[in-house]
Amino acid sequence: MADTLQFDLVSPERRLASVQATEVQIPGADGDLTAMAGHAPTITTLRPGVLRVVHAGGTDDYIVIGGFADINHGGVSVLAEKALPKGEMTQDVFDAMIAEAREAHNKAKEFWHNEPGPVDDAAKLISDMVAIGGHIGLTPKDN
């Protein structure tokens, strides 16, 4: 297939994808980007979001939380802290991820007195998770 690049997505738990893609839409920490054949070599950290892969067989969406993407002449490798296919993101899984983010925020508030950086980062994770839910039709349960 012309104008494709190798795409690989792995998380600590498993390899989620290894396909020839025409484009990979990446939720970068400094802004979203689309990698295609011939893209300039780039390394970016990931923000929580939806990573979309377009290939000959269709389009696949993955939920990614943290990690980084390495774009080079050979393709795109994404190493995610957490990742799962969009179809596996059930309300129960989403609620568990939100609860984990809220717990991290509470721990940051306890540990980092008068240092807003880590507390703000933990709060941003909650906000990003809620945004992912909104994007895929899930709403966090109230706590």
Side-chain angles (χ1 to χ4, degrees), residues 8-17 62-63 78-89 93:
D8 293 292
L9 170 61
V10 296
S11 72
E13 295 83 24
R14 62 185 168 161
R15 174 184 294 264
L16 289 108
Y62 299 90
I63 307 303
V78 175
L79 303 173
E81 290 175 19
K82 291 184 183 180
L84 66 152
K86 179 182 168 188
E88 291 180 17
M89 181 62 95
V93 170

Side-chain angles (χ1 to χ4, degrees), residues 2-125:
D3 296 327
T4 63
L5 64 161
Q6 177 62 36
F7 170 72
D8 293 292
L9 170 61
V10 296
S11 72
E13 295 83 24
R14 62 185 168 161
R15 174 184 294 264
L16 289 108
S18 183
V19 298
Q20 287 292 311
T22 54
E23 68 181 73
V24 180
Q25 298 171 12
I26 301 167
D30 294 326
D32 294 351
L33 63 113
T34 300
M36 301 173 80
H39 194 286
T42 306
I43 294 178
T44 185
T45 54
L46 302 176
R47 68 166 172 74
V50 178
L51 184 143
R52 176 166 286 162
V53 183
V54 180
H55 54 86
T59 301
D60 296 325
D61 290 339
Y62 299 90
I63 307 303
V64 295
I65 312 296
F68 70 93
D70 177 12
I71 304 166
N72 57 54
H73 297 297
V76 177
S77 296
V78 175
L79 303 173
E81 290 175 19
K82 291 184 183 180
L84 66 152
K86 179 182 168 188
E88 291 180 17
M89 181 62 95
T90 64
Q91 185 67 51
D92 288 341
V93 170
F94 180 66
D95 289 339
M97 292 174 95
I98 290 285
E100 184 178 321
R102 286 181 175 152
E103 181 179 332
H105 182 243
N106 289 334
K107 285 182 181 178
K109 287 191 297 187
E110 288 175 18
F111 186 77
W112 298 100
H113 298 288
N114 299 319
E115 294 188 46
V119 176
D120 291 346
D121 292 345
K124 173 102 171 64
L125 176 60

